[in-house]
Amino acid sequence: MKPRIHPETRLVVFRDRAADAAFLTRSTADSSKTIEWEDGRTYPVIDVEISSASHPFYTGNSRVVDTAGRVERFERRYGRAGARD
């Protein structure tokens, strides 16, 4: 690697608040908040909304989306576009 052109990487803890899970990994992201990890060292911590621990694709917990209601609401609001002669 060429010197001085790549961002500095460091060990960072990503904490998923929804799943109450934390991951220690290398990242270029930095944070002023810190956390003491299982090995006794202190690392920067970044809170995330969703991760592989809470995402429906990885957990298998899928949610049903009301697409029929959305289509009907769209047609009421904008009319039917396919009625052209």
Side-chain angles (χ1 to χ4, degrees), residues 8-26:
E8 177 187 342
T9 61
R10 63 191 67 76
L11 288 172
V12 177
V13 175
F14 286 93
R15 182 172 48 190
D16 184 349
R17 297 299 217 164
D20 196 30
F23 307 95
L24 178 66
T25 186
R26 296 196 65 82

Side-chain angles (χ1 to χ4, degrees), residues 11 13 24 33-45:
L11 288 172
V13 175
L24 178 66
K33 295 189 287 184
T34 59
I35 189 173
E36 186 173 329
W37 191 245
E38 299 161 354
D39 61 3
R41 295 183 182 171
T42 302
Y43 298 104
V45 63

